[in-house]
């Protein structure tokens, strides 16, 4: 598998779909009334948005047209969509306007999706333009929560966004016995495991 090839978002949604729903629901359960959050592009963050209760009042900023559309169905959510150029196949907004949208924001939490996560190579993404926007988003939040199913652990993608040390909480369906998880925990990252766990593959 190429480190820079990313299947279209709607194609990726079918992969690990049940795990993504459970991780997304766990992330949505962490939201608090009147919180201001960044919700990143991705299939697992999309599942998170679907699980947001209709009566929960939050402000949500996103650079995803898909997620922005989903948020618009939540009557109590104030939705802010960044500017930028639409990336075909991903429906993300990229470029200087998308990056600068986060420059003066001070948000409570950033919910981040990744292509891969490794204790050594950090948080990774397939696309340079998306990675640049994710970095800007990370800088706008005081807390960083990463949503990553077990298939993302140890996967090396094209570009590193940030070291694992920026993560406050990782939500995953990987088993607590997973070797990558153990090494990530050694870097003082809290991990929330959603059941059923997926065991490490040999």
């Amino acid at each position: 598998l190429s480190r820079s090839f990313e299947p279209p978002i709607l194609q990726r949604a079918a992969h690990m779909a049940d795990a993504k729903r459970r991780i997304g629901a766990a992330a949505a359960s962490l939201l608090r009334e009147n919180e201001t959050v960044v919700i990143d592009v991705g299939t697992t963050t999309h599942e998170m948005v679907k699980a947001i209760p209709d009566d929960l009042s939050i402000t949500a900023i996103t650079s995803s047209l898909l997620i922005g559309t989903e948020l618009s169905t939540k009557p109590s959510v104030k939705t802010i969509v960044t500017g930028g150029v639409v990336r075909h196949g991903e429906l993300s907004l990229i470029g200087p306007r998308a990056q600068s949208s986060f420059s003066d924001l001070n948000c409570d939490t950033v919910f981040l999706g990744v292509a891969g996560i490794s204790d050594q190579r950090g948080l990774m993404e397939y696309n340079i333009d998306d990675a640049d926007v994710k970095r800007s988003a990370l800088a706008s939040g005081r807390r960083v929560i990463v949503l990553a199913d077990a298939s993302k652990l140890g996967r090396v993608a094209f570009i590193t966004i940030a070291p694992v040390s920026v993560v406050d909480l990782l939500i995953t369906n990987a088993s607590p016995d997973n070797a990558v998880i153990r090494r990530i925990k050694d870097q003082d990252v809290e991990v929330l495991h959603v059941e059923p766990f997926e065991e490490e593959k040999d």
Side-chain angles (χ1 to χ4, degrees):
L1 183 67
S2 168
R3 291 180 171 183
S4 59
F5 172 71
E6 180 177 30
I9 190 166
L10 297 178
Q11 182 179 327
R12 299 199 316 274
H15 178 66
M16 303 282 286
D18 182 60
K20 289 174 179 178
R21 280 191 292 272
R22 289 183 282 111
I23 292 166
S29 73
L30 300 176
L31 291 166
R32 296 293 175 258
E33 195 79 15
N34 300 319
E35 194 173 13
T36 299
V37 299
V38 176
I39 303 179
D40 183 33
V41 176
T43 53
T44 313
T45 47
H46 189 212
E47 292 297 334
M48 172 193 170
V49 169
K50 292 178 185 178
I52 294 174
D54 285 346
D55 61 350
L56 182 66
S57 296
I58 61 169
T59 298
I61 303 100
T62 188
S63 58
S64 165
L65 294 179
L66 190 64
I67 286 174
T69 301
E70 189 71 42
L71 286 167
S72 73
T73 69
K74 307 290 180 178
S76 299
V77 175
K78 179 180 179 181
T79 303
I80 300 170
V81 178
T82 69
V85 178
V86 178
R87 186 180 159 216
H88 295 289
E90 189 67 9
L91 299 177
S92 60
L93 293 160
I94 56 174
R97 286 186 181 275
Q99 294 174 51
S100 65
S101 296
F102 295 103
S103 62
D104 57 354
L105 299 182
N106 302 297
C107 301
D108 294 305
T109 308
V110 178
F111 291 89
L112 195 76
V114 294
I117 179 169
S118 153
D119 53 296
Q120 292 185 321
R121 294 182 181 268
L123 311 177
M124 288 162 284
E125 187 50 66
Y126 293 113
N127 180 273
I128 290 174
D129 295 319
D130 270 335
D132 287 341
V133 177
K134 288 173 188 275
R135 284 194 196 99
S136 298
L138 281 173
S140 72
R142 64 177 177 179
R143 187 182 188 205
V144 175
I145 299 178
V146 171
L147 286 62
D149 66 66
S151 71
K152 308 285 181 68
L153 294 174
R155 177 187 293 173
V156 177
F158 181 53
I159 185 165
T160 294
I161 305 161
V164 165
S165 58
V166 307
V167 180
D168 296 292
L169 175 66
L170 168 64
I171 307 177
T172 184
N173 66 317
S175 164
D177 295 328
N178 182 290
V180 178
I181 287 290
R182 291 200 304 268
R183 293 194 296 269
I184 287 173
K185 286 179 178 177
D186 286 342
Q187 297 192 38
D188 294 325
V189 177
E190 185 181 353
V191 180
L192 173 60
H193 297 274
V194 298
E195 296 181 334
F197 304 144
E198 178 153 319
E199 298 297 328
E200 185 176 19
K201 302 282 194 302
D202 292 328

Short mmCIF file of all heavy atoms in Angstrom, two decimals, residues 26 29 36 47-48 77 86 98 102 108 113 153 174 187 194 202:
data_model
loop_
_atom_site.label_atom_id
_atom_site.label_comp_id
_atom_site.label_asym_id
_atom_site.label_seq_id
_atom_site.Cartn_x
_atom_site.Cartn_y
_atom_site.Cartn_z
N ALA A 26 -18.09 7.16 21.37
CA ALA A 26 -17.32 7.42 22.60
C ALA A 26 -16.81 8.86 22.61
O ALA A 26 -16.83 9.54 23.64
CB ALA A 26 -16.16 6.44 22.71
N SER A 29 -19.61 11.32 23.33
CA SER A 29 -20.03 11.29 24.73
C SER A 29 -19.16 12.18 25.62
O SER A 29 -19.55 12.50 26.75
CB SER A 29 -20.02 9.85 25.26
OG SER A 29 -18.69 9.39 25.46
N THR A 36 -16.45 24.64 22.82
CA THR A 36 -16.06 25.00 21.46
C THR A 36 -15.03 23.99 20.98
O THR A 36 -13.97 23.84 21.60
CB THR A 36 -15.47 26.42 21.40
OG1 THR A 36 -16.46 27.35 21.85
CG2 THR A 36 -15.08 26.79 19.98
N GLU A 47 -18.50 9.81 11.99
CA GLU A 47 -19.33 8.99 12.86
C GLU A 47 -19.55 9.68 14.21
O GLU A 47 -20.64 9.59 14.80
CB GLU A 47 -18.70 7.62 13.07
CG GLU A 47 -18.69 6.74 11.83
CD GLU A 47 -20.08 6.39 11.32
OE1 GLU A 47 -21.04 6.40 12.13
OE2 GLU A 47 -20.22 6.12 10.12
N MET A 48 -18.55 10.38 14.69
CA MET A 48 -18.69 11.14 15.94
C MET A 48 -19.81 12.17 15.82
O MET A 48 -20.66 12.30 16.71
CB MET A 48 -17.36 11.83 16.27
CG MET A 48 -17.46 12.79 17.43
SD MET A 48 -16.00 13.85 17.54
CE MET A 48 -16.58 15.02 18.78
N VAL A 77 -26.34 22.86 17.58
CA VAL A 77 -24.92 23.06 17.27
C VAL A 77 -24.75 24.30 16.39
O VAL A 77 -25.41 24.42 15.35
CB VAL A 77 -24.33 21.83 16.55
CG1 VAL A 77 -22.88 22.10 16.13
CG2 VAL A 77 -24.39 20.60 17.45
N VAL A 86 -11.81 23.22 -2.15
CA VAL A 86 -12.35 21.87 -1.94
C VAL A 86 -11.42 20.83 -2.56
O VAL A 86 -11.07 20.91 -3.73
CB VAL A 86 -13.75 21.74 -2.55
CG1 VAL A 86 -14.27 20.30 -2.36
CG2 VAL A 86 -14.72 22.73 -1.92
N ALA A 98 -7.99 27.93 4.52
CA ALA A 98 -8.39 26.93 5.52
C ALA A 98 -7.46 26.99 6.73
O ALA A 98 -7.91 26.95 7.88
CB ALA A 98 -8.37 25.54 4.90
N PHE A 102 -7.98 29.00 11.51
CA PHE A 102 -7.74 28.58 12.89
C PHE A 102 -6.78 29.50 13.65
O PHE A 102 -6.61 29.35 14.85
CB PHE A 102 -7.14 27.16 12.90
CG PHE A 102 -8.08 26.11 12.37
CD1 PHE A 102 -7.91 25.59 11.11
CD2 PHE A 102 -9.12 25.64 13.16
CE1 PHE A 102 -8.76 24.61 10.62
CE2 PHE A 102 -9.98 24.66 12.69
CZ PHE A 102 -9.81 24.15 11.41
N ASP A 108 -11.65 24.67 22.92
CA ASP A 108 -11.49 23.77 24.06
C ASP A 108 -10.80 22.47 23.64
O ASP A 108 -9.84 22.04 24.27
CB ASP A 108 -12.86 23.46 24.67
CG ASP A 108 -13.50 24.69 25.29
OD1 ASP A 108 -12.85 25.32 26.14
OD2 ASP A 108 -14.63 25.03 24.89
N GLY A 113 -8.71 13.18 13.27
CA GLY A 113 -8.58 11.90 12.58
C GLY A 113 -7.20 11.80 11.95
O GLY A 113 -6.63 12.81 11.57
N LEU A 153 -2.95 1.89 13.87
CA LEU A 153 -1.82 1.81 14.80
C LEU A 153 -0.60 1.22 14.11
O LEU A 153 -0.65 0.13 13.55
CB LEU A 153 -2.20 0.96 16.00
CG LEU A 153 -3.29 1.55 16.90
CD1 LEU A 153 -3.68 0.56 17.96
CD2 LEU A 153 -2.85 2.85 17.52
N ALA A 174 -8.38 -0.78 19.68
CA ALA A 174 -7.24 -1.69 19.85
C ALA A 174 -7.19 -2.21 21.28
O ALA A 174 -7.59 -1.53 22.22
CB ALA A 174 -5.94 -0.97 19.52
N GLN A 187 4.42 7.43 26.56
CA GLN A 187 4.66 8.86 26.28
C GLN A 187 3.58 9.74 26.95
O GLN A 187 3.32 10.85 26.51
CB GLN A 187 4.72 9.10 24.78
CG GLN A 187 5.88 8.37 24.12
CD GLN A 187 6.12 8.82 22.69
OE1 GLN A 187 6.01 10.00 22.36
NE2 GLN A 187 6.48 7.88 21.82
N VAL A 194 -12.43 1.21 23.37
CA VAL A 194 -13.85 0.87 23.19
C VAL A 194 -13.94 -0.62 22.84
O VAL A 194 -13.15 -1.15 22.07
CB VAL A 194 -14.52 1.73 22.09
CG1 VAL A 194 -14.49 3.20 22.49
CG2 VAL A 194 -13.89 1.51 20.74
N ASP A 202 -0.35 -10.34 13.87
CA ASP A 202 1.06 -10.74 13.70
C ASP A 202 1.54 -10.35 12.32
O ASP A 202 0.79 -10.36 11.37
CB ASP A 202 1.21 -12.24 13.90
CG ASP A 202 0.96 -12.63 15.36
OD1 ASP A 202 1.26 -11.81 16.24
OD2 ASP A 202 0.46 -13.75 15.60
#
